[in-house]
Amino acid sequence: MEKVLLIIVALSGLSAVSSHAERQYHFVYEAKTMSEAQRYCREKHTDLATVDSMEVVELLNNKLDPNKLSEHGNIYRVWIGLYDDVDSWKWSMSDTSFFKPRETEFRQWASGEPNNKYSVEHCTHIRSNDGLWNDRGCAVRMNAVCLDVRGPNATFVVIDSYMNWTEAQSYCRENHTDLASVRNETENQQIVELVPPGIYWIGLYRDSWKWSDGSFSPFRYWAGGKPNNINHNEACVAAAFHDSGKWEDSDCGVKKPFICYGPVPVSRQVIKVRVEKPNGVDLNDKAFLDAMLVEAKKNLRAQGLDDNVKLAWRKQPDGQVFHKEEEKKRDEL
């Protein structure tokens, strides 16, 4: 059999701090407001930390240096990238052709609304007595106003059945067009004249907690009783490391240390291996190369290789991976 020189390039992630192969977390112990911290993280790293699993929570708990927090007189509360997007109101009716320019922006809020009391008021009801709107917790049960669309015309329908906002939305979509979208003062007055005394769901709602980097994760790790928006301005989130890294809503203007994340540095290692070529086998065939990588990964894993390590072939200038080894060169190796 011919002896052939095999070259494998190993991309090692063993130096990564995070078990998430794509992220490395950085504690910054200098206190900044949430917006200042976000700007710093985006300039120096990638963004404020996205914490999307208990694995990351445990990693951050282990990485924290409490002595450095104490130096700044901080009681272990550190900004992460979660925030409440208080300006994200939109209509349940998603057909943009229903709205003329700026009609999606029509609002008829009562004085002091929306106030997002207790950090849970993400849906909207209309009051029959004056036609003004309040934000409200979406789980509250009340009657609703549905919308029937026939071409450019909109007809409102009162639903005399107590439902939470999500149930009302589903009912209106199944039996009419959607929950009521209110495009102007005229339509708002139409609803006031239609409904009996009381309060009624309409289709305005907002997205709630979001990550600074735009990623989505349903994972939450709130401390007991949080979020509560106790001061009516707590739209940002800090991890409380005196409480196992659990989250608390907080005033975005308060200065705190913070956590950034960035990509994990990738080290590169070249491994050279000699193999004997089986008769009739094209060692540069893609199927054969793929099968060899699988076997190589199994062997390296058995020796304790981290799963974050990636194996790839390094091709020579002529595009081939395998080359027949010269007798003289082999004697020198």
Side-chain angles (χ1 to χ4, degrees):
M1 293 186 182
E2 298 178 355
K3 290 192 174 180
V4 182
L5 184 64
L6 165 65
I7 300 179
I8 297 177
V9 177
L11 302 178
S12 175
L14 292 174
S15 61
V17 174
S18 170
S19 57
H20 286 243
E22 73 279 8
R23 293 188 209 144
Q24 186 175 42
Y25 293 91
H26 308 270
F27 277 77
V28 180
Y29 295 97
E30 179 184 357
K32 294 181 181 293
T33 66
M34 177 73 158
S35 60
E36 291 170 343
Q38 182 190 60
R39 184 163 54 251
Y40 177 97
C41 290
R42 289 177 174 177
E43 290 175 355
K44 305 290 186 180
H45 302 285
T46 299
D47 212 318
L48 277 163
T50 295
V51 183
D52 53 11
S53 69
M54 279 304 301
E55 186 179 11
V56 176
V57 170
E58 293 169 3
L59 172 73
L60 296 178
N61 273 285
N62 292 332
K63 186 172 173 58
L64 171 75
D65 186 341
N67 293 323
K68 289 185 179 180
L69 281 182
S70 300
E71 289 173 6
H72 295 278
N74 189 278
I75 52 174
Y76 304 106
R77 290 179 173 87
V78 177
W79 289 129
I80 58 175
L82 195 65
Y83 70 101
D84 193 5
D85 189 353
V86 296
D87 297 319
S88 60
W89 294 99
K90 58 185 177 181
W91 292 104
S92 176
M93 178 75 168
S94 59
D95 182 0
T96 56
S97 66
F98 177 69
F99 301 93
K100 294 179 181 178
R102 303 191 66 84
E103 283 187 337
T104 58
E105 302 171 18
F106 176 75
R107 303 289 185 265
Q108 199 77 348
W109 295 114
S111 177
E113 300 291 341
N115 61 10
N116 192 31
K117 192 174 183 180
Y118 308 122
S119 285
V120 296
E121 298 189 334
H122 304 145
C123 296
T124 304
H125 72 251
I126 186 172
R127 307 189 312 211
S128 63
N129 61 324
D130 55 14
L132 297 178
W133 307 349
N134 291 57
D135 59 341
R136 194 69 178 266
C138 303
V140 176
R141 308 182 76 81
M142 65 179 75
N143 296 330
V145 181
C146 293
L147 173 72
D148 270 326
V149 177
R150 298 290 183 269
N153 300 316
T155 303
F156 299 108
V157 181
V158 179
I159 307 303
D160 185 15
S161 178
Y162 274 39
M163 294 177 281
N164 64 39
W165 190 91
T166 303
E167 292 169 342
Q169 182 192 52
S170 297
Y171 178 91
C172 289
R173 287 178 171 178
E174 290 171 4
N175 297 280
H176 302 280
T177 301
D178 211 318
L179 266 170
S181 294
V182 187
R183 298 174 291 185
N184 49 55
E185 291 184 8
T186 300
E187 290 186 346
N188 202 67
Q189 187 59 32
Q190 288 175 2
I191 293 176
V192 171
E193 295 172 358
L194 177 68
V195 298
I199 55 176
Y200 297 81
W201 286 129
I202 58 175
L204 193 66
Y205 74 104
R206 71 179 179 87
D207 292 334
S208 184
W209 299 98
K210 297 181 179 179
W211 290 104
S212 177
D213 66 356
S215 62
F216 172 77
S217 169
F219 177 77
R220 297 291 183 264
Y221 196 51
W222 294 111
K226 302 292 183 176
N228 60 7
N229 195 30
I230 193 168
N231 294 318
H232 304 296
N233 62 350
E234 298 182 340
C236 295
V237 175
F241 284 98
H242 66 286
D243 190 17
S244 303
K246 292 182 179 178
W247 304 348
E248 300 177 356
D249 53 333
S250 182
D251 182 344
C252 304
V254 175
K255 292 190 174 185
K256 304 178 189 291
F258 53 98
I259 310 171
C260 304
Y261 83 89
V264 171
V266 177
S267 62
R268 184 181 296 268
Q269 182 180 0
V270 177
I271 304 172
K272 296 181 180 180
V273 181
R274 288 193 193 92
V275 297
E276 292 188 352
K277 176 183 176 182
N279 292 329
V281 175
D282 179 3
L283 297 183
N284 289 297
D285 178 70
K286 184 179 183 304
F288 179 81
L289 292 173
D290 290 344
M292 286 289 290
L293 277 184
V294 171
E295 290 301 315
K297 187 70 177 281
K298 287 181 180 178
N299 292 335
L300 291 172
R301 187 182 291 117
Q303 300 174 37
L305 177 75
D306 190 283
D307 282 337
N308 291 332
V309 174
K310 298 179 181 179
L311 297 181
W313 300 109
R314 188 175 73 171
K315 293 184 179 181
Q316 302 302 310
D318 62 359
Q320 300 296 305
V321 173
F322 288 97
H323 281 153
K324 182 178 179 181
E325 187 177 18
E326 299 290 342
E327 290 294 330
K328 180 178 179 181
K329 186 175 181 180
R330 189 178 68 231
D331 293 339
E332 295 174 351
L333 294 175

